[in-house]
């Protein structure tokens, strides 16, 4: 059913992005696997994706480098057609309490997480519109962007900004049958969350556990499906009840 539908997943070399790419391959989507530095991880993702008989390609850029992103995505769309789905998953953290936060820590997180959404989505939108078929845009926000988090003023600001951008863009694209939504994960077990972090966060999680990557990827997969065609401008939290 999804054969021929290409989906770009940024930050797909590990963690949630990798899980999303593999889960989408199981449903028959063709994948464009993005990475910035972790080429080995991207190749591993492609190896797993190929087991499901779908087409895949690898693309590399720093999402904060606007000109490079634009050039590479425009070339890919020109040569291979518009994406059916764009999953903006790549991002960074530079945690620290606000009074001692450096200018670079603020700028890097905002330019990567928030500007990166603009840099990736902007070159993809007109090809989607011109194709005159339904399409999907999904941005990965965070519980930090919904409720804020101590030591993450920069990260929370960037992820809250994504929510605002998604809500506005969804209105512009709704008549084109292009849905735009946010997924906001909480503490997800990606292998990068150590026991100390979980110990401090656990009292805030009613379900008393970390989420699994497949619990996030399953939601993304649903939002990409035809069954989700009437869902747009939403923020779906996957956080075990954190608020």
């Amino acid at each position: 059913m999804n054969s021929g539908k290409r989906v770009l997943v940024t930050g797909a070399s590990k963690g949630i992005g990798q899980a999303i790419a593999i889960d989408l391959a199981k449903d028959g989507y063709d994948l464009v696997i993005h990475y910035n530095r972790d080429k080995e991880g991207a190749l591993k993702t492609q190896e797993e994706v190929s087991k499901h008989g779908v087409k895949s390609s690898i693309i590399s850029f720093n999402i904060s480098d606007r000109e490079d992103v634009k050039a590479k995505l425009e070339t890919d769309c020109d040569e291979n057609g518009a994406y059916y789905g764009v999953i903006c998953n790549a991002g960074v953290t530079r945690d620290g309490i606000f009074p001692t936060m450096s200018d670079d820590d603020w700028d890097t997180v905002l330019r990567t997480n928030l500007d990166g959404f603009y840099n990736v989505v902007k070159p993809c939108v007109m090809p989607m519109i011109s194709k005159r078929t339904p399409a999907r845009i999904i941005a990965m926000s965070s519980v930090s962007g919904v409720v804020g988090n101590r030591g993450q003023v920069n990260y929370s600001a960037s992820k809250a900004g994504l929510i605002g951008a998604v809500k506005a863009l969804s209105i512009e694209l709704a008549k084109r049958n292009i849905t735009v939504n946010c997924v906001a994960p909480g503490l997800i077990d990606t292998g990068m969350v150590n026991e100390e972090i979980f110990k401090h966060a656990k009292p805030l999680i009613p379900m008393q556990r970390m989420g699994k990557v497949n619990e996030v990827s399953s939601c993304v997969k649903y939002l990409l499906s035809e069954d989700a065609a009437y869902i747009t401008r939403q923020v779906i939290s996957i956080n075990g009840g954190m608020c």
Side-chain angles (χ1 to χ4, degrees):
M1 181 181 293
N2 296 312
S3 178
K5 291 182 176 178
R6 290 201 312 145
V7 179
L8 167 67
V9 183
T10 68
S13 60
K14 56 183 174 293
I16 292 173
Q18 185 177 67
I20 290 171
I22 294 170
D23 218 3
L24 295 183
K26 292 176 183 176
D27 256 22
Y29 294 99
D30 294 334
L31 275 302
V32 180
I33 299 162
H34 162 264
Y35 77 96
N36 181 22
R37 296 188 180 92
D38 187 8
K39 183 176 181 179
E40 183 177 345
L43 290 170
K44 177 63 176 176
T45 302
Q46 188 176 41
E47 179 184 341
E48 291 299 315
V49 161
S50 67
K51 294 177 181 178
H52 303 285
V54 300
K55 297 176 182 177
S56 66
S57 60
I58 292 177
I59 193 168
S60 177
F61 48 74
N62 182 333
I63 63 171
S64 66
D65 186 341
R66 182 166 299 161
E67 293 305 314
D68 188 44
V69 175
K70 180 182 178 185
K72 288 179 177 175
L73 291 181
E74 285 184 346
T75 297
D76 189 40
C77 287
D78 287 344
E79 293 178 352
N80 301 294
Y83 303 120
Y84 166 73
V86 174
I87 315 299
C88 294
N89 168 74
V92 298
T93 59
R94 293 279 188 89
D95 295 350
I97 59 172
F98 189 72
T100 61
M101 183 174 290
S102 69
D103 292 348
D104 184 61
D105 285 347
W106 176 269
D107 291 341
T108 297
V109 171
L110 269 292
R111 287 172 181 166
T112 303
N113 297 352
L114 186 53
D115 290 358
F117 172 83
Y118 174 86
N119 297 344
V120 170
V121 174
K122 183 71 183 300
C124 302
V125 165
M126 280 311 300
M128 283 179 164
I129 292 172
S130 298
K131 195 173 181 181
R132 298 181 182 276
T133 57
R136 307 280 189 263
I137 296 169
I138 301 169
M140 302 301 292
S141 182
S142 166
V143 64
S144 296
V146 177
V147 301
N149 189 31
R150 183 182 183 278
Q152 289 192 320
V153 175
N154 51 358
Y155 186 72
S156 296
S158 69
K159 293 298 187 176
L162 279 178
I163 292 172
V166 160
K167 285 182 176 290
L169 183 60
S170 64
I171 299 170
E172 294 185 13
L173 298 180
K175 288 184 179 180
R176 309 282 187 173
N177 290 317
I178 300 173
T179 66
V180 191
N181 292 290
C182 261
V183 173
L187 205 64
I188 306 300
D189 186 3
T190 60
M192 295 185 289
V193 180
N194 61 42
E195 286 299 319
E196 189 67 20
I197 293 173
F198 180 57
K199 184 176 78 172
H200 287 291
K202 188 176 180 180
L204 304 174
I205 308 172
M207 293 191 76
Q208 295 288 285
R209 68 171 177 87
M210 286 189 281
K212 302 172 183 176
V213 289
N214 68 287
E215 291 171 323
V216 180
S217 65
S218 293
C219 179
V220 172
K221 184 167 65 173
Y222 171 68
L223 289 173
L224 280 174
S225 72
E226 293 180 7
D227 289 339
Y230 201 52
I231 299 174
T232 196
R233 207 184 181 195
Q234 302 305 306
V235 181
I236 301 178
S237 294
I238 305 174
N239 59 27
M242 293 177 74
C243 61

